[in-house]
């Protein structure tokens, strides 16, 4: 679905669906600040992900609700979107760079702070699983480009053409008007970042994307950068981001949000502060979107974005919800 259509649809469909969790996190804003270490986990298991990727949270929930661990849940959850050719911002069917190549970024992080990442990976449907293999089977954290691709083949991943008829056509159209120029906009930001807490109270996260559409060849965004697109601290919580990665990297956004939660902020307050820090350095700019999503050790969630339209999907024992998050700019610009 095109971003513009998505924003419209999500605004309407989610308007009546502001969930208990969102209300809960708003209430938390009024509560007293929490101590820096949150000892117990009350709302578990739970999974959340950026945007309304309900199929992804359903898959993760299958694992969490049968006593599976949060790492398997986030990996398998985001794989749903990576394999979906109609999601044109993640995995198979992701929009290409300005040379017509689909290049993928992904990272994963577990409860012990282990992490793995792939950047500028081509021809592989599931970069998140390659990132997990980097984490588990190598002494490294990040593999890039050809090396990452070679590593994927060595680990049994199949070569797949990721460009679809639809993205090929859009790319040809884009070339006519955009004259090979990468233009920042508030659309086309549907990276999936997922955070989960399992029955043991352990937190894991995953983030995967085809990055900014028609980006300069070689460009890597925030999504595979630990601390920027994703960060997990099992003592505190986790955070993930979507939107223009350059701005998220500059503030080390997800790490910042987890640290703000460590200092006592609720997930909602921490996400708001993260966006406000970015906007402070970008006074008056309206041409980009960023959405942050966070969860704390208690399973409380929060989100905040620059422009209206960012949503997140959540699955807990009380069911699945789509949550509209509040934004820095109150009206669509
Ligand atoms: N954060 C991603 C990137 O900058 C893009 C997105 O979320 O759509 O690569």
């Amino acid at each position: 679905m095109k971003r513009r259509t998505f924003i419209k649809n999500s605004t309407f469909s989610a308007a009546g669906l502001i969930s208990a969790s969102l209300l809960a996190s708003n209430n938390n804003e009024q509560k007293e600040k929490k101590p820096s270490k949150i000892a117990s986990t009350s709302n578990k298991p739970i999974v959340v992900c950026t945007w309304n990727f309900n199929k992804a949270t359903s898959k993760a929930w299958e694992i969490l609700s049968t006593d599976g661990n949060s790492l398997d849940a986030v990996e398998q959850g985001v794989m749903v979107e990576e394999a979906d050719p109609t999601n044109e911002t993640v995995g198979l069917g992701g929009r290409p760079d300005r040379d017509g190549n689909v290049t993928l970024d992904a990272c994963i992080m577990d409860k012990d702070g282990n992490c793995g990442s792939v950047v500028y990976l081509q021809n592989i449907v599931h970069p998140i699983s390659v990132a997990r293999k980097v984490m588990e089977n190598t002494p490294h954290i990040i593999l890039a480009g050809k090396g990452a691709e070679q590593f994927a083949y060595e680990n049994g991943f199949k070569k797949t053409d990721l460009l679809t008829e639809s993205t090929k056509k859009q790319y040809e159209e884009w070339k006519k008007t955009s004259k090979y120029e990468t233009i920042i906009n508030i659309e086309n930001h549907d990276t999936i970042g997922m955070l989960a807490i399992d029955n043991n109270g352990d937190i894991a996260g995953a983030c995967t994307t085809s990055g900014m559409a028609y980006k300069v060849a070689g460009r890597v965004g925030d999504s595979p950068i630990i601390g920027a697109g994703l960060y997990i601290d099992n003592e505190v919580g986790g955070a993930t981001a979507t939107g223009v990665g350059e701005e998220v990297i500059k503030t080390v956004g997800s790490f910042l949000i987890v640290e703000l939660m460590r200092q006592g902020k609720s997930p909602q307050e921490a996400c708001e502060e993260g966006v406000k820090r970015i906007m402070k350095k970008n006074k008056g700019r309206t041409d980009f979107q960023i959405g942050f999503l966070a969860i704390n050790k208690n399973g409380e969630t929060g989100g905040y974005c620059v422009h209206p339209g960012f949503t997140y999907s959540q699955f807990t024992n009380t069911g699945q919800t789509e949550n509209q998050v509040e934004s820095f700019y109150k009206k669509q610009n």
Side-chain angles (χ1 to χ4, degrees):
M1 195 186 296
K2 290 221 174 68
R3 188 86 282 272
R4 194 180 296 277
T5 329
F6 172 80
I7 288 173
K8 274 197 210 131
N9 289 351
S10 64
T11 305
F12 292 124
S13 66
L17 287 173
I18 298 179
S19 75
S21 69
L22 185 59
L23 294 173
S25 47
N26 285 341
N27 287 340
N28 289 336
E29 284 174 55
Q30 282 134 39
K31 281 187 198 155
E32 268 187 31
K33 301 243 187 265
K34 290 195 166 54
S36 60
K37 268 197 189 174
I38 300 161
S40 69
T41 299
S42 51
N43 190 16
K44 63 173 172 118
I46 178 170
V47 58
V48 287
C49 79
T50 54
W51 306 109
N52 62 348
F53 293 130
N54 290 338
K55 285 189 208 144
T57 49
S58 296
K59 180 72 204 172
W61 183 252
E62 255 175 61
I63 294 150
L64 294 170
S65 60
T66 50
D67 222 16
N69 68 59
S70 52
L71 187 65
D72 290 338
V74 295
E75 181 191 8
Q76 290 182 44
V78 303
M79 282 171 75
V80 171
E81 293 305 317
E82 287 181 336
D84 181 354
T86 64
N87 180 339
E88 296 183 337
T89 50
V90 179
L92 176 68
R95 290 195 190 87
D97 66 13
R98 68 180 190 177
D99 292 339
N101 297 311
V102 182
T103 71
L104 305 178
D105 294 337
C107 74
I108 193 159
M109 193 161 184
D110 76 7
K111 65 181 171 59
D112 299 315
N114 298 311
C115 42
S117 160
V118 287
V119 306
Y120 195 72
L121 177 64
Q122 296 182 58
N123 301 312
I124 302 290
V125 176
H126 291 301
I128 200 65
S129 302
V130 184
R132 182 168 176 176
K133 291 256 188 265
V134 174
M135 173 173 86
E136 291 178 340
N137 298 353
T138 80
H140 310 305
I141 290 178
I142 306 177
L143 292 185
K146 283 285 160 220
E149 193 176 340
Q150 183 57 34
F151 173 80
Y153 298 140
E154 283 164 13
N155 281 274
F157 292 83
K158 300 256 161 343
K159 183 168 184 163
T160 308
D161 182 2
L162 302 176
L163 210 56
T164 59
E165 277 312 308
S166 162
T167 50
K168 216 180 283 175
K169 234 196 207 154
Q170 290 175 48
Y171 171 63
E172 294 306 329
E173 275 306 307
W174 170 82
K175 271 202 298 191
K176 284 185 206 160
T177 53
S178 294
K179 301 186 193 80
Y180 202 61
E181 238 167 78
T182 308
I183 298 159
I184 301 270
N185 60 42
I186 66 161
E187 301 180 348
N188 299 326
H189 297 295
D190 290 358
T191 293
I192 181 165
M194 182 175 274
L195 309 165
I197 307 180
D198 59 28
N199 263 331
N200 279 334
D202 289 325
I203 312 173
C207 188
T208 178
T209 190
S210 51
M212 199 185 287
Y214 317 128
K215 59 199 174 187
V216 175
R219 182 262 187 188
V220 171
D222 61 316
S223 308
I225 306 300
I226 300 296
L230 176 75
Y231 195 72
I232 301 295
D233 184 324
N234 204 34
E235 281 185 355
V236 178
T240 189
T242 180
V244 171
E246 282 71 5
E247 293 304 327
V248 178
I249 292 171
K250 283 198 247 172
T251 51
V252 199
S254 293
F255 181 75
L256 169 67
I257 285 167
V258 171
E259 281 306 296
L260 289 169
M261 291 194 290
R262 183 193 297 283
Q263 289 162 22
K265 289 206 187 303
S266 70
Q268 183 62 34
E269 290 169 334
C271 288
E272 288 183 19
E273 175 66 22
V275 168
K276 283 173 188 162
R277 292 248 185 127
I278 291 172
M279 295 317 292
K280 210 170 158 188
K281 291 184 189 148
N282 287 281
K283 282 211 174 72
R285 256 187 88 183
T286 58
D287 62 345
F288 68 96
Q289 171 68 307
I290 285 176
F292 283 123
L293 173 62
I295 193 165
N296 68 13
K297 190 76 175 166
N298 283 337
E300 294 158 340
T301 59
Y304 200 66
C305 55
V306 177
H307 294 278
F310 176 49
T311 57
Y312 68 96
S313 173
Q314 173 171 304
F315 217 133
T316 66
N317 278 318
T318 55
Q320 188 174 46
T321 52
E322 270 177 33
N323 308 277
Q324 183 79 46
V325 313
E326 287 190 27
S327 49
F328 183 84
Y329 292 118
K330 300 302 170 202
K331 276 195 257 148
Q332 193 71 61
N333 283 283

